[in-house]
Amino acid sequence: MLRPKVPTNPMPTGIVTPPAVIEPTNVVQHPVAPTPMPVAPAPARPTVQLTPGAVLALVGGGTAVVLVVGAVLVSMLLAVAITAASLAICALVIRSLITADTKRH
């Protein structure tokens, strides 16, 4: 059921052309030119030169990233703390309502 069936094609369909005749060609040897002296390879990676303005931009950008990430993390921590405090207050109110209801009857 899950085995694929490969279709068979016993007769070719379409136009059948006879194989082309390949004629041998002569190989001509050219005189070998003298090899030039090897040139020193260029450095793979260019050196990075930072100007004072670029250094200030990098420091400013890094500081901005650190401040933004810190603000996001602190706000997430504050949101979790506020949620936990409000849940604790709700639990205390519900518990006091349940115990007051049982004392009344």
Side-chain angles (χ1 to χ4, degrees):
M1 181 173 135
L2 297 176
R3 294 187 182 181
K5 294 182 180 178
V6 179
T8 58
N9 193 6
M11 297 291 293
T13 58
I15 300 172
V16 179
T17 58
V21 177
I22 300 174
E23 295 181 10
T25 58
N26 293 334
V27 177
V28 178
Q29 294 281 341
H30 294 288
V32 179
T35 58
M37 294 298 293
V39 180
R45 296 174 58 187
T47 57
V48 177
Q49 299 201 1
L50 295 176
T51 61
V55 171
L56 287 176
L58 285 175
V59 169
T63 303
V65 167
V66 167
L67 289 177
V68 168
V69 170
V72 168
L73 291 177
V74 167
S75 64
M76 289 172 62
L77 180 64
L78 186 61
V80 169
I82 291 173
T83 304
S86 63
L87 283 175
I89 291 172
C90 288
L92 288 175
V93 169
I94 291 172
R95 188 175 74 176
S96 67
L97 287 174
I98 290 174
T99 56
D101 190 36
T102 56
K103 287 182 182 178
R104 215 179 297 160
H105 291 158

